[in-house]
Amino acid sequence: MVRRSLQKTAISIRFLSFKTRHYRLVTEGCLQYNSKGGYYYNHPYFSTAIFKNIQVGPNNVTKLRLGVAAKNDGHVRLAPVKYPYDSTVMNEIVLSGWRNTKSEVRRYTRTEPNKVKDQIVLKELSSLGMLSEYGPLMFTMAIHQDGLVELTKDGEVVPFLKFQDPKLSYEYISFCNWDVPAIYFFDCPLERDKRICEGIVFP
């Protein structure tokens, strides 16, 4: 019994060590923001103009890689200004809110850190179990000139979330949490670039 218990403990330690190494690997080179102040807290907005890893590709499609580790409710806000409190029209992407069951994209007018009005839901879809506090959901956000936005998980080619808003502006990005803390990773090296650096050949 003691030997079997020790074997199980050793397996658990190796598994946790693997998870830790994987966590570090997929977030390597990213900036990090820890959000625990809640939805109505005055979270900072970061200028995407100074991101080192943002990429503008063919047809002027802008790509940036992000990640979130949370039990539920990853909130990504996109705004045209650093302090979007003067009746600023902006967007918010809710990743697996409602107890990790549903995602939603909104456009609204923000008047204060804790007040919005004229909210419109642009997209809503099921996302049961998509987030985890034990490992980050890493994805690339592709923003097209016509306001089409596609979110694609690392290692996949089909977006898990798509929406379109011609009024979308992404000069600044912010993150927040709902009822549990969330860890955000942003300005991450694009997955393709990282694999090229590791010597993997693409067809």
Side-chain angles (χ1 to χ4, degrees):
M1 290 293 292
V2 174
R3 180 177 297 176
R4 182 174 297 177
S5 177
L6 289 174
Q7 288 175 341
K8 289 182 178 179
T9 301
I11 292 172
S12 297
I13 291 173
R14 286 198 297 270
F15 177 74
L16 288 173
S17 177
F18 169 79
K19 292 281 287 185
T20 301
R21 289 197 302 272
H22 176 72
Y23 198 114
R24 287 200 300 263
L25 179 63
V26 297
T27 61
E28 184 179 355
C30 300
L31 299 178
Q32 180 176 327
Y33 178 68
N34 299 335
S35 177
K36 60 181 180 179
Y39 187 79
Y40 301 106
Y41 180 75
N42 184 19
H43 295 279
Y45 285 76
F46 305 97
S47 172
T48 58
I50 62 173
F51 282 7
K52 295 180 179 179
N53 296 298
I54 196 167
Q55 181 186 88
V56 180
N59 301 317
N60 288 319
V61 177
T62 300
K63 291 185 177 182
L64 55 159
R65 185 165 166 262
L66 311 163
V68 55
K71 189 176 181 180
N72 52 263
D73 282 273
H75 292 250
V76 180
R77 293 171 176 169
L78 302 171
V81 293
K82 186 176 179 65
Y83 302 103
Y85 310 127
D86 300 315
S87 295
T88 305
V89 177
M90 55 183 290
N91 292 84
E92 182 171 323
I93 303 170
V94 183
L95 296 173
S96 226
W98 295 271
R99 298 187 179 182
N100 205 9
T101 63
K102 185 177 73 172
S103 295
E104 184 177 276
V105 181
R106 309 161 176 165
R107 181 176 73 226
Y108 52 62
T109 300
R110 183 168 291 279
T111 56
E112 295 181 33
N114 61 345
K115 290 184 180 180
V116 300
K117 63 180 182 179
D118 303 328
Q119 179 169 293
I120 300 172
V121 175
L122 302 174
K123 186 81 173 187
E124 188 177 63
L125 72 163
S126 297
S127 55
L128 181 64
M130 186 171 71
L131 292 185
S132 171
E133 68 266 48
Y134 301 113
L137 167 70
M138 303 299 298
F139 60 93
T140 296
M141 179 185 295
I143 305 172
H144 299 250
Q145 281 192 308
D146 60 358
L148 174 65
V149 179
E150 300 171 305
L151 273 57
T152 306
K153 295 179 183 178
D154 278 13
E156 299 185 2
V157 294
V158 178
F160 68 89
L161 189 154
K162 293 173 64 174
F163 70 95
Q164 189 164 14
D165 185 0
K167 296 183 179 180
L168 181 133
S169 178
Y170 57 93
E171 277 78 6
Y172 289 85
I173 189 168
S174 182
F175 312 98
C176 76
N177 65 300
W178 184 248
D179 59 338
V180 293
I183 302 174
Y184 292 93
F185 303 94
F186 63 102
D187 194 15
C188 300
L190 291 174
E191 188 183 17
R192 181 180 177 89
D193 293 343
K194 187 177 190 311
R195 288 181 293 176
I196 288 174
C197 291
E198 292 173 346
I200 298 176
V201 178
F202 288 84

